[in-house]
Amino acid sequence: MSDDAHNNDSHHNLMVDNKKLFMWLFLGSDCMFFGTMISTHLIYRKLYPESFDPTSLFSLELTSFSTFILLMSSFLMALAVSAMHKSDIKSFRRNTLGVIFFGLIFLACQVYEFTEFVHEGLTLKSGTFGSTFFMLTGTHGVHVAIGLFWLTCMYFYSFTGKMDPHESAIDVEVAGLYWHFVDIVWIIIFTVIYLIEFIK
Amino acid sequence: MPDTLSTSNADHSGEEQKYHAFINLALVLAAITGIELVLVYLPINGTFIFATLVSLSLFKFFSVIAWFMHLLYDKLILTLAFVTGLAIASGTVVALMFIMDRGFVDFEAISAF
């Protein structure tokens, strides 16, 4: 067996690219990570419902806007992956830049929201609600920031001339999977942490 | 050569179909987010709103996974890899929510710390 054939096999042991398989496994484990943080928040809300009323603090309009922005960034990410499969590097750059722009808007909204909360007296140390809320949304924010860094690196790398559309398509797809995951986690956070608080 | 061309054309037509699916899904997801925002302010039964919000949220969650994340078009093993983690995570959330009920928790023991 030649070296090339051996390398090819090592990338497709299960008829699936190993990078993709590992990313899906990582996302599965990240589900457990977020699952525990979401349950911690819900349990403390259930045990101490009277400790804090977040409805006066939350701005549902702002959070809905953030959710819309993140969903649209996911849409652009799907287009970027599709463009890479068509070897259309210009379209890939355009869509990736859109994802980065939307991601930055999302982070800016989160920073604005956190700043407002801290001014109103809700901090990491102010009680169980503050601790679990900032831990959960903050960890999600860190995930978004990592995704943005990854996509920005990929965007600039595409200008070096070393990015072969055929070979790099899988790398873009893996980065896309991570970005979409960040989006689906936010879909759950938006409903469970924000919307449900407003039900009377 | 003609074979390569026809394969390439088929690939591009597949991507074209996905493109339309992505646009439709993006519009549906945006509409659902708007509906969710309006729903919480409506003066109707809380349980009904809760059930609707959870259903809409799950629909959004699985739609993104199926279409944007390509799981619908990919190998079954990838679905299994992800669903295993997701099942353990959801099982943990549900189990903890049942275990940590107000009736089962010793608040005096907690406040002693």
Side-chain angles (χ1 to χ4, degrees):
Chain A
M1 187 185 281
S2 70
D3 281 353
D4 278 353
H6 178 76
N7 283 338
N8 200 34
D9 278 354
S10 70
H11 284 288
H12 300 88
N13 286 335
L14 293 162
M15 302 297 283
V16 178
D17 191 280
N18 283 351
K19 287 179 187 171
K20 209 165 156 180
L21 180 62
F22 277 109
M23 179 45 84
W24 276 109
L25 286 169
F26 165 72
L27 297 182
S29 69
D30 225 17
C31 276
M32 297 181 226
F33 182 59
F34 277 104
T36 49
M37 280 197 285
I38 289 172
S39 15
T40 307
H41 181 82
L42 291 178
I43 286 164
Y44 277 119
R45 285 303 287 152
K46 197 173 159 187
L47 294 181
Y48 304 103
E50 66 289 337
S51 67
F52 189 80
D53 177 22
T55 52
S56 56
L57 210 56
F58 283 170
S59 164
L60 264 195
E61 289 76 15
L62 177 71
T63 322
S64 300
F65 172 71
S66 299
T67 308
F68 172 76
I69 287 293
L70 209 55
L71 284 170
M72 291 307 107
S73 77
S74 226
F75 166 60
L76 289 180
M77 190 69 241
L79 293 187
V81 172
S82 182
M84 211 55 184
H85 280 299
K86 289 190 278 189
S87 306
D88 186 351
I89 201 117
K90 279 186 181 169
S91 172
F92 159 75
R93 282 183 195 140
R94 207 171 41 241
N95 287 311
T96 306
L97 200 60
V99 177
I100 295 168
F101 179 65
F102 279 1
L104 285 173
I105 293 178
F106 177 84
L107 277 187
C109 287
Q110 197 165 39
V111 168
Y112 172 77
E113 188 186 44
F114 281 10
T115 313
E116 285 292 304
F117 289 174
V118 170
H119 280 305
E120 296 291 331
L122 181 71
T123 64
L124 256 176
K125 295 177 180 175
S126 63
T128 52
F129 183 88
S131 303
T132 55
F133 173 81
F134 281 115
M135 270 305 290
L136 177 57
T137 51
T139 306
H140 178 266
V142 170
H143 273 70
V144 174
I146 291 170
L148 279 178
F149 177 70
W150 189 351
L151 290 172
T152 308
C153 289
M154 210 162 244
Y155 175 75
F156 286 113
Y157 185 68
S158 73
F159 288 99
T160 60
K162 294 175 188 168
M163 191 182 233
D164 174 53
H166 290 289
E167 286 177 10
S168 301
I170 196 71
D171 296 330
V172 174
E173 204 174 330
V174 168
L177 288 177
Y178 178 83
W179 190 259
H180 294 307
F181 178 76
V182 163
D183 181 33
I184 58 172
V185 169
W186 186 256
I187 288 173
I188 300 297
I189 291 178
F190 177 56
T191 305
V192 170
I193 311 298
Y194 289 88
L195 287 176
I196 283 177
E197 295 286 352
F198 286 82
I199 299 176
K200 291 180 181 73
Chain B
M1 189 68 181
D3 276 354
T4 319
L5 264 178
S6 62
T7 312
S8 169
N9 284 340
D11 284 353
H12 282 240
S13 127
E15 289 298 330
E16 203 60 39
Q17 281 178 344
K18 279 184 198 171
Y19 178 80
H20 292 295
F22 292 159
I23 289 182
N24 290 335
L25 182 60
L27 291 173
V28 170
L29 294 174
I32 290 177
T33 306
I35 292 168
E36 285 175 333
L37 176 63
V38 173
L39 206 59
V40 289
Y41 291 116
L42 291 180
I44 47 177
N45 185 279
T47 315
F48 172 76
I49 296 178
F50 176 79
T52 313
L53 284 177
V54 171
S55 311
L56 289 174
S57 174
L58 287 177
F59 175 79
K60 281 161 79 178
F61 183 88
F62 287 109
S63 302
V64 171
I65 292 173
W67 280 283
F68 284 171
M69 293 173 93
H70 286 212
L71 212 50
L72 210 59
Y73 315 105
D74 265 326
K75 296 258 187 268
L76 183 66
I77 189 158
L78 299 177
T79 309
L80 292 175
F82 182 67
V83 166
T84 306
L86 184 64
I88 295 172
S90 350
T92 307
V93 174
V94 173
L96 282 172
M97 290 306 288
F98 276 108
I99 293 168
M100 300 300 281
D101 194 77
R102 282 187 80 87
F104 301 146
V105 176
D106 186 353
F107 285 96
E108 282 180 19
I110 293 175
S111 55
F113 288 99

